[in-house]
Amino acid sequence: MTRIFDFTRAMVRTPGPSAVKGLRAGGGPDPDFAGLLSEHAGYVAALEAAGIAVTVLDPLATFPDALFVEDPALVFREGMAVLLNPGVPSRAGEVAELAPALAEHFEQIETLAEGHADGGDVLVMPGRAFIGLSARTDRAGAKELARILELFGLATTIVTPPPGVLHLKTACSLIDAETVLATGAIARSGLFADYCVIEVPADEEGGANVLRLADRVLMGSGYPRIADLIAGHGAEPVPLETGAIAMIDAGLTCMSLRW
Ligand code: CIR
């Protein structure tokens, strides 16, 4: 039986030179373009090594953050996709750029008609999606997204993540159907009371965004205790270099759409 983290296809967008100007909440220097390119290539190689056929879209010079394809859309292996409305003006135009590529793969495409929502704020568990309110996802967008996801048969829960994270999934990730990896603040919040929570050690919170693919978990290198926790849970940790993308506030889930 196909599990929620068994994917056969993914879509990514190669970073262009403007990606070094990607948004970052805490300021800081630009990452090196060669570093971004090599981390992205390593990520694509890791998707392919997991048996996933990857569609690679061309860079978009006018949208520095367009390599983070997870934010302008949501996709489901059952053939549905949702065009979202990113909550920061510089990313709004990414949706129209992504739409034609999605139309080649998805039969039913819904559009967020109200409010703002970023895909990074949506954690999809079996039968239920958690939608985080953030600086990017407002209540109108979350409610509208909930309406659409309920059409798809998913229950939804709108949650307020602890402060200080860009997106809900900056601080938590799916490990399996019953399990999430989460920072201490999320673990203590009771948000995932119905799930098994693997708590990220306090000094490794930057590594809480991981990507489960079949029997492996793509994760940032430099988080040895998270790697041990994942291995202890029976999945294979695959550490990837993420130093450059982390400088523009990104992790593992945000660089692809999977179905
Ligand atoms: C942004 O601030 O929008 C990008 N620099 C990073 C987006 C990361 N997206 C994600 O985690 N889903």
Side-chain angles (χ1 to χ4, degrees), residues 13-29:
R13 188 182 291 287
T14 305
S18 68
V20 303
K21 297 293 175 197
L23 295 168
R24 68 214 74 171

Side-chain angles (χ1 to χ4, degrees), residues 76-146:
F76 296 90
R77 67 162 65 90
E78 294 80 6
M80 303 89 77
V82 187
L83 297 174
L84 298 171
N85 186 15
V88 66
S90 70
R91 300 199 61 188
E94 293 176 24
V95 180
E97 296 285 351
L98 195 57
L102 292 179
E104 289 179 22
H105 296 277
F106 296 92
E107 282 171 16
Q108 182 183 359
I109 301 191
E110 303 288 336
T111 301
L112 201 78
E114 286 176 50
H116 296 96
D118 273 16
D121 278 315
V122 187
L123 178 70
V124 181
M125 300 297 291
R128 175 170 299 276
F130 291 86
I131 306 171
L133 298 173
S134 70
R136 304 291 178 85
T137 297
D138 57 23
R139 193 166 288 278
K143 283 168 99 172
E144 166 68 352
L145 181 57

Side-chain angles (χ1 to χ4, degrees), residues 22 45 134 168 200 215 230:
S134 70
L168 175 63
V200 172
D215 294 331
I230 288 169

Side-chain angles (χ1 to χ4, degrees), residues 22-23 65 68 70-71 91 120 136 166-167 248-251 254:
L23 295 168
D65 288 296
F68 305 122
E70 179 182 68
D71 292 321
R91 300 199 61 188
R136 304 291 178 85
L166 173 62
H167 288 124
I248 45 175
D249 294 353
C254 55

Side-chain angles (χ1 to χ4, degrees), residues 32 37 44 46 48-49 56 67 70 98 107 116 164 182 194 213 224 233:
D32 173 53
L37 269 182
V44 173
E48 289 174 341
V56 182
L67 73 153
E70 179 182 68
L98 195 57
E107 282 171 16
H116 296 96
D194 295 339
L213 303 174
H233 201 75

